[in-house]
Amino acid sequence: QYGFTASLPQDVHPTNLVAYNLIPLELPDLDINQNLLGPLKVIGYTCFVTVAIAVMICVGWTLHHRSTSVVVAAAQPVFLVLLATGVLIMSATLIPLSWDDNGLPDDVSTLQARSVCMSQPWLCFLGFSITFGTLFSKTWRVNRLVKKSASFGKTNVRPRDVLGPFIVLLALNLFVLVIWTIVD
């Protein structure tokens, strides 16, 4: 009847092309999973508050012991507070990540949606560059102290002496973020 059925395997049955084009009169309701956070956004806010409280406790402890503890004084409280600030800013990324439009994108202005979306890389990258820049500056400080001690020279490396790499890293990240925000 079709002329080519002899070459088809036994479990394949040819179908009339018109059968594929028949659309039922009543379609089922369209159910789109928009991957909404719903009640899970509370987890993001809770995690941020937990990190914020931990950072405040660490900063308070550092400032309280900055002159009485030799370890804190050697670690330079300025860098410890900067490090904690970077962690706090980076964890603040959880706030816009926890934002949800409840499946009603028309209720949100374009400016608000763009602001929420662009705040994520700003918070994440600035927090990371403050944290990484602080760690790099501390490592550079230790390197300078070790080089001076090898020649038995006495030296005093102040925080402002090693903030150069920190400022350069932060400026480069700010430059990239500003360009990204303007272009996007």
Side-chain angles (χ1 to χ4, degrees):
Q1 134 193 17
Y2 292 101
F4 61 90
T5 55
S7 64
L8 291 175
Q10 286 288 22
D11 58 340
V12 176
H13 303 287
T15 308
N16 189 351
L17 184 60
V18 178
Y20 286 112
N21 294 331
L22 294 178
I23 299 173
L25 295 176
E26 289 188 34
L27 293 173
D29 292 335
L30 185 60
D31 184 26
I32 299 174
N33 183 1
Q34 297 177 344
N35 297 319
L36 299 175
L37 295 175
L40 294 177
K41 61 183 167 186
V42 173
I43 295 173
Y45 296 135
T46 305
C47 289
F48 169 71
V49 169
T50 304
V51 171
I53 290 170
V55 164
M56 287 182 206
I57 289 171
C58 290
V59 167
W61 184 87
T62 300
L63 294 178
H64 183 265
H65 293 287
R66 71 177 175 257
S67 58
T68 59
S69 174
V70 177
V71 174
V72 175
Q76 292 188 327
V78 172
F79 286 116
L80 295 176
V81 170
L82 257 172
L83 187 66
T85 303
V87 169
L88 180 66
I89 293 171
M90 195 172 3
S91 68
T93 308
L94 290 168
I95 294 172
L97 282 172
S98 298
W99 183 77
D100 200 358
D101 65 357
N102 296 324
L104 305 170
D106 295 334
D107 290 352
V108 180
S109 71
T110 305
L111 179 63
Q112 184 181 9
R114 285 183 183 167
S115 300
V116 169
C117 285
M118 280 311 295
S119 66
Q120 294 170 17
W122 273 88
L123 291 170
C124 185
F125 294 153
L126 284 180
F128 179 78
S129 44
I130 289 172
T131 304
F132 182 78
T134 302
L135 291 173
F136 185 78
S137 294
K138 285 181 69 61
T139 305
W140 195 30
R141 175 181 179 265
V142 170
N143 188 21
R144 289 181 68 182
L145 289 172
V146 168
K147 281 184 179 179
K148 282 293 187 179
S149 68
S151 63
F152 299 107
K154 185 176 180 181
T155 184
N156 184 12
V157 181
R158 297 171 299 202
R160 68 177 179 184
D161 295 336
V162 293
L163 282 178
F166 172 78
I167 292 170
V168 169
L169 286 170
L170 191 62
L172 288 173
N173 263 334
L174 280 172
F175 176 74
V176 169
L177 286 168
V178 167
I179 296 299
W180 185 357
T181 303
I182 290 170
V183 169
D184 197 28

